[in-house]
Amino acid sequence: MNQNLLKKKFITKLKKLNLKLCIAESVTGGRFIYEFIKKKGASSYIDYSLVCYSNNSKGEFLGLSDDLKNNDVISKIIAEKMAINITKFTKNKNVMGISCTGLASESKKKISKMKVGTVFYAVYYKNKVKVKKKVFKNLTRNQIISSTIKEMIVLCNSLI
């Protein structure tokens, strides 16, 4: 199924369940939320979104400083805690936390032991977390980001 149909199906479910999204993006840099807010009516299912691109922002805004000292920034545990912790700011009771962390291109500053194309994304819903790891090979930076967005939508759809 193509991304637009997956997204449409997901939005229909969100509205039907009166479910709000709380999103913490890293590797996608805001492009995940943009896929939803570019259409009118997104406020009915979006609570908020935060781009936490640096380790400092993940530590300060999401409370992951200790976790980042003990874990690779691109890891299952970081994606999981990002998805959980992003929901701590909402007053809504029916929420889904979504996160992603990964490496879309080479960096001069060695931020991770992971290879380019490695992405972890997570969904937190009804006190359960589902984390997926994908390694996208031989793709450009933009292709990795676009592929991550599609995989995130697939995972979200599978949980509601």
Side-chain angles (χ1 to χ4, degrees), residues 110-156:
K110 192 71 174 161
I111 61 165
S112 172
K113 297 174 190 161
M114 296 294 170
K115 293 182 180 181
V116 171
T118 304
V119 177
F120 287 87
Y121 50 101
V123 176
Y124 174 63
Y125 180 57
K126 292 187 174 180
N127 294 317
K128 295 180 184 162
V129 184
K130 181 82 173 179
V131 182
K132 293 277 191 170
K133 176 185 179 183
K134 276 287 204 187
V135 180
F136 300 104
K137 296 181 180 180
N138 303 316
L139 297 180
T140 66
R141 176 181 179 77
N142 282 330
Q143 289 171 325
I144 290 168
I145 293 167
S146 294
S147 297
T148 299
I149 292 165
K150 182 176 181 182
E151 292 297 328
M152 290 169 69
I153 296 169
V154 168
L155 179 60
C156 291

Side-chain angles (χ1 to χ4, degrees), residues 8-61:
K8 190 174 182 178
K9 182 179 174 184
F10 183 47
I11 291 169
T12 300
K13 289 178 182 180
L14 291 171
K15 288 178 179 179
K16 183 178 178 183
L17 295 169
N18 196 27
L19 184 60
K20 295 280 189 173
L21 300 181
C22 302
I23 302 156
E25 294 182 72
S26 185
V27 66
T28 52
R31 282 189 43 198
F32 180 82
I33 188 63
Y34 175 71
E35 282 300 313
F36 295 92
I37 62 169
K38 66 184 178 182
K39 297 281 186 182
K40 184 179 176 183
S43 61
S44 67
Y45 53 88
I46 301 288
D47 195 355
Y48 52 81
S49 176
L50 180 64
V51 176
C52 289
Y53 211 67
S54 70
N55 285 359
N56 185 55
S57 65
K58 288 176 186 76
E60 290 295 317
F61 295 112

